């Protein structure tokens, strides 16, 4: 019983310490959260990076690189999709509401993202991969026939 009390007291003190640290941090002024790729969006470019590790089933170096590249590219594509969903059209609507109402436009966006330009591809010593993909707003506007802010 004495051991449980000591453990409970230890957990309580850790919790109390965390609350103290969090409360002292909240008094400070913090910069707003940074949106990944926001500076690129303002420059009429949508760019995102992804990282991938080799799959467990991959045995040879080539298989490891191929599987890590696929994962890294998929991650970057998902990030670009998220950035595109947050873009605003000139009529005030956001892309997520536009694409939610039109499945054909959403399919066009997916195809456009899959055809995005690979601007950087790097390999690590353990056959991991880092990929950066890029799209311009003009490519998006042409494909979807929409104007973006």
């Amino acid at each position: 019983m004495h051991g449980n009390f000591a453990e409970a007291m230890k957990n309580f003190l850790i919790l109390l310490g965390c609350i103290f640290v969090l409360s002292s941090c909240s008094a400070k002024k913090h910069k707003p959260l940074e949106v990944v790729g926001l500076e690129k969006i303002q420059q009429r470019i949508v760019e995102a990076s992804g990282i991938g590790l080799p799959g467990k089933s991959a045995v040879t170096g080539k298989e490891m690189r191929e599987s890590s590249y696929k994962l890294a590219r998929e991650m970057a594509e998902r990030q670009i999709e998220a950035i595109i969903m947050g873009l605003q059209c000139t009529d005030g609507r956001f892309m997520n509401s536009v694409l939610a109402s039109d499945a054909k436009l959403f399919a066009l966006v997916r195809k456009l993202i899959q055809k995005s330009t690979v601007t950087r591809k790097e390999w690590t010593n353990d056959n991991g991969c880092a990929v950066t993909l890029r799209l311009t707003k003009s490519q998006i506007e042409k494909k979807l026939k929409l104007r973006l802010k």
Side-chain angles (χ1 to χ4, degrees), residues 118-134:
V118 176
T119 58
R120 184 179 64 107
K121 183 181 358 177
E122 295 179 10
W123 303 100
T124 62
N125 293 337
D126 61 349
N127 289 323
C129 185
V131 174
T132 302
L133 301 177
R134 176 182 286 180

Side-chain angles (χ1 to χ4, degrees), residues 101-130:
S101 63
D102 192 343
K104 287 182 183 178
L105 279 180
F106 186 74
L108 285 174
V109 168
R110 290 297 306 150
K111 285 182 184 176
L112 183 64
I113 291 171
Q114 289 170 352
K115 293 179 181 178
S116 58
T117 307
V118 176
T119 58
R120 184 179 64 107
K121 183 181 358 177
E122 295 179 10
W123 303 100
T124 62
N125 293 337
D126 61 349
N127 289 323
C129 185

Side-chain angles (χ1 to χ4, degrees), residues 54-60 63-64 67:
K56 292 181 180 180
S57 62
V59 179
T60 65
E63 290 173 345
M64 290 176 160
S67 67

Side-chain angles (χ1 to χ4, degrees), residues 5-128:
F5 177 76
E7 187 67 30
M9 188 57 113
K10 178 181 165 188
N11 290 340
F12 175 75
L13 290 175
I14 291 172
L15 177 65
L16 191 61
C18 289
I19 291 171
F20 176 76
V21 169
L22 290 174
S23 65
S24 66
C25 288
S26 66
K28 297 176 186 174
K29 274 196 159 187
H30 292 285
K31 290 190 263 182
L33 291 177
E34 209 173 285
V35 178
V36 175
L38 182 61
E39 65 281 350
K40 301 293 184 188
I41 291 172
Q42 293 170 346
Q43 297 173 359
R44 312 273 312 153
I45 295 172
V46 178
E47 189 173 66
S49 297
I51 55 173
L53 294 174
K56 292 181 180 180
S57 62
V59 179
T60 65
K62 184 178 179 181
E63 290 173 345
M64 290 176 160
R65 284 180 172 235
E66 187 176 305
S67 67
S68 63
Y69 173 74
K70 285 180 183 178
L71 289 172
R73 183 167 178 105
E74 183 179 330
M75 184 179 180
E77 286 176 358
R78 288 182 183 192
Q79 286 183 1
I80 285 183
E81 183 179 329
I83 292 170
I84 289 173
M85 292 295 190
L87 295 177
Q88 191 174 15
C89 299
T90 52
D91 62 0
R93 297 180 300 159
F94 283 92
M95 287 296 292
N96 61 352
S97 62
V98 172
L99 297 176
S101 63
D102 192 343
K104 287 182 183 178
L105 279 180
F106 186 74
L108 285 174
V109 168
R110 290 297 306 150
K111 285 182 184 176
L112 183 64
I113 291 171
Q114 289 170 352
K115 293 179 181 178
S116 58
T117 307
V118 176
T119 58
R120 184 179 64 107
K121 183 181 358 177
E122 295 179 10
W123 303 100
T124 62
N125 293 337
D126 61 349
N127 289 323

